[in-house]
Amino acid sequence: MKRVLTIAGSDSGGGAGIQADLKTFVANGVYGMTVVTALTAQNTTGTYGIHPIPIAFVRDQFNAVATDIGFDAVKTGMLANQWVIREVAGLLASCKPAHLVVDPVMVAGFRPLQGASSSKTMPALS
């Protein structure tokens, strides 16, 4: 079974983020794993709060999956701020996944993410 890692935010309403990614992975017959980058308080009517996960814990989650289970592909979603973007870019550059899907989520609902600017913070991964 193929293994896919999603690096994204958690949507408490279940319609986006890692929740939606995991549903998609199951529907396509792949084993899904997560690195949570932010927690959101949101539902179908709006986003009421965003709590970025500390960088060290984002790194710990990634390393836990990469060193034990591994992955065949990686998908990114909401990377809550420029520090998370830089950390994830560095982690991906160091392991060079065979397949990478970058979904540059810069807002949760209608709220811009803190310090988010893909052209300034997402270095080339090639």
Side-chain angles (χ1 to χ4, degrees):
M1 178 176 274
K2 296 292 184 182
R3 305 155 299 163
V4 182
L5 175 65
T6 179
I7 305 173
S10 175
D11 170 7
S12 58
I18 61 169
Q19 288 83 352
D21 290 344
L22 289 173
K23 292 172 190 175
T24 301
F25 297 166
V26 167
N28 286 282
V30 299
Y31 182 76
M33 299 155 293
T34 64
V35 170
V36 180
T37 61
L39 303 174
T40 67
Q42 67 186 83
N43 59 28
T44 61
T45 65
T47 300
Y48 302 96
I50 300 172
H51 178 73
I53 301 299
I55 297 298
F57 194 67
V58 170
R59 184 181 319 113
D60 289 346
Q61 292 175 82
F62 182 89
N63 289 333
V65 171
T67 60
D68 178 37
I69 303 165
F71 44 80
D72 300 299
V74 175
K75 180 214 174 268
T76 66
M78 184 177 120
L79 305 177
N81 56 44
Q82 63 186 335
W83 302 281
V84 173
I85 292 170
R86 287 184 178 141
E87 181 65 27
V88 169
L91 291 167
L92 295 175
S94 71
C95 72
K96 300 190 184 335
H99 304 282
L100 175 62
V101 175
V102 177
D103 180 5
V105 177
M106 303 302 280
V107 296
F110 296 102
R111 183 175 171 185
L113 301 179
Q114 174 189 8
S117 171
S118 61
S119 63
K120 292 181 182 176
T121 57
M122 188 64 142
L125 296 175
S126 56

